[in-house]
Structures are given as C-alpha cells and as structure tokens.
Amino acid sequence: ETGVTQTPRHLVMGMTNKKSLKCEQHLGHNAMYWYKQSAKKPLELMFVYSLEERVENNSVPSRFSPECPNSSHLFLHLHTLQPEDSALYLCASSQDVQGYTEAFFGQGTRLTVV
Amino acid sequence: DQQVKQNSPSLSVQEGRISILNCDYTNSMFDYFLWYKKYPAEGPTFLISISSIKDKNEDGRFTVFLNKSAKHLSLHIVPSQPGDSAVYFCAASGQDGGATNKLIFGTGTLLAVQP
C-alpha cells in the first residue's frame, strides 16, 4: 500500500451537489494537511490537523469542511462549490506539525465543478 | 504576494548534462527548504531538503545549494536522465509564530530531459 491514499482520483460535481474527498495515511504520522493546486498557481495550504485537532484554517470558504476522525483519516466535505473551485486537491501527512520533516503526499483528487 | 518564487516555468536539458532549477524566497523567517518532484497524475514526492544552517546538501545526483543572503536556493541534477523529466516544486517552511510548520510552495518548473 502506498503511504497516503486519496479517493476518488477524479470527481465531477454540480454546484448544488454534496460530495466528500477521503484521505488515508498508513505512515503513523500525527499531522495531516489539505492542499489545493489550481492551474499555474502554487500549492495552497487549506487546513492542518495535528492529532485530529485542526490547528490551522487558511481563510478557506465554509463550503469546504474538513473532518479528521482519527490520526489516519482525513476528509474534505464539499457543498455548493463554484466552478473556480475546480482544482487538484492534495492530501499530505508528516510526522508532526512541529519540527522539520518532509510531508508525504497522496496522488490527489482532480475535482471539476460544473 | 508569493513568498516562494520559481521564475522559470520550464527548462529543457540534454541527457547527461546538468539541470539547474532555481528558487527565490522573500520571508527571512524561512529556515527549512525542500524540493519535491511531481509526475503527471501523481502527488508530489520529496526529493531533498536543506536547513538554513547549511549551504549545501548532496544526495546522489541531486545537490541543493542555499544562499541565505540572496534568499536563493537551487537544485542541481547531474547527470540529468530522461526519467528526471517532471515538475519540480521548491518549498519553504519556518516557525511563523503559529506553532505550525507549514510548507509554502512555488509554482513549479517543468524539467524536460531530452535523450
């Protein structure tokens, strides 16, 4: 199994739909992250969780709602999205939010909002 | 305003030659820098990192150089191989007072190594 697994890989949803992105890490890490990658933009950090507690929310609209039920799983619940929310959503994990260790990324979910 | 900048969106290099990817940053509080490689349809994978207490870190064909006074780092790949063709992201982090070590990424440079 890969270290960080994201499902689904691709998602097309209408603006009135509700969907969820799932991330699972098998690395025993304590920190998990959601990033957004839009075309020709840098990866943007959305949310940070440490030991299931949200420690950072980077001014993300409320139509994105994260959930971390345990240290191995992270969800991103989506509702009433806009077409400009279409992007690659990447989940990552690291040993901790403190200290200097690399983050491990999943393969991402390619989201298209129509 | 972007804190981490990769001003070259693409770079083409012949196989066997050196690839040099550049990155500039503006935040003097950054003290840890990383390079990630990304293939299409995959997530970024960690390549190499450097702490601000060093000016060079080497791992096989990959070497990262850090010039703190210029707020500049570079990734050297030598010799370049066709399998190195990918998008390379520079990232930086530092304790910003929020007790969170978060990565700030550049926009990436697409490296194409020609056989």
Side-chain angles (χ1 to χ4, degrees):
Chain A
E1 282 188 333
T2 56
V4 181
T5 305
Q6 288 186 244
T7 55
R9 294 291 307 279
H10 301 272
L11 178 63
V12 179
M13 60 185 289
M15 290 189 282
T16 57
N17 291 157
K18 289 184 180 181
K19 297 287 184 183
S20 295
L21 310 185
K22 179 182 176 183
C23 176
E24 186 173 357
Q25 58 99 359
H26 309 278
L27 301 167
H29 288 166
N30 296 321
M32 296 187 77
Y33 311 80
W34 279 116
Y35 282 86
K36 174 184 177 183
Q37 186 184 17
S38 304
K40 299 185 179 179
K41 284 188 172 183
L43 277 76
E44 301 169 60
L45 180 65
M46 300 175 73
F47 301 104
V48 182
Y49 275 82
S50 175
L51 295 170
E52 302 139 48
E53 179 182 342
R54 191 189 311 180
V55 297
E56 184 144 341
N57 175 346
N58 272 8
S59 303
V60 180
S62 59
R63 57 186 184 269
F64 295 91
S65 175
E67 178 190 2
C68 188
N70 56 64
S71 59
S72 299
H73 293 85
L74 185 64
F75 294 89
L76 188 62
H77 303 299
L78 316 170
H79 65 98
T80 59
L81 293 193
Q82 304 298 312
E84 58 264 28
D85 297 321
S86 299
L88 180 68
Y89 289 85
L90 290 159
C91 172
S93 71
S94 66
Q95 188 59 56
D96 292 291
V97 292
Q98 301 281 6
Y100 300 105
T101 59
E102 66 269 23
F104 293 79
F105 284 83
Q107 293 175 300
T109 295
R110 174 68 63 184
L111 174 68
T112 304
V113 181
V114 297
Chain B
D1 189 32
Q2 278 185 250
Q3 297 185 69
V4 177
K5 299 177 183 178
Q6 293 177 259
N7 292 319
S8 298
S10 64
L11 175 67
S12 183
V13 172
Q14 286 294 120
E15 181 178 5
R17 308 293 284 267
I18 185 170
S19 295
I20 301 177
L21 298 121
N22 294 303
C23 178
D24 297 292
Y25 61 96
T26 58
N27 190 339
S28 58
M29 297 301 292
F30 288 146
D31 55 8
Y32 187 59
F33 305 88
L34 309 90
W35 284 94
Y36 280 81
K37 180 169 75 172
K38 185 180 184 300
Y39 293 118
E42 294 185 16
T45 55
F46 171 72
L47 196 56
I48 192 169
S49 63
I50 188 167
S51 163
S52 61
I53 62 173
K54 295 185 174 182
D55 55 18
K56 177 183 174 181
N57 188 25
E58 189 173 352
D59 183 2
R61 298 185 297 114
F62 302 91
T63 303
V64 56
F65 295 92
L66 176 62
N67 182 334
K68 288 188 291 292
S69 61
K71 294 192 179 67
H72 177 85
L73 65 155
S74 60
L75 174 68
H76 293 210
I77 306 173
V78 56
S80 301
Q81 299 173 353
D84 296 329
S85 298
V87 177
Y88 288 79
F89 291 98
C90 171
S93 71
Q95 297 296 330
D96 64 357
T100 299
N101 188 9
K102 61 187 182 185
L103 296 178
I104 307 298
F105 282 86
T107 50
T109 296
L110 175 62
L111 173 65
V113 181
Q114 310 296 333

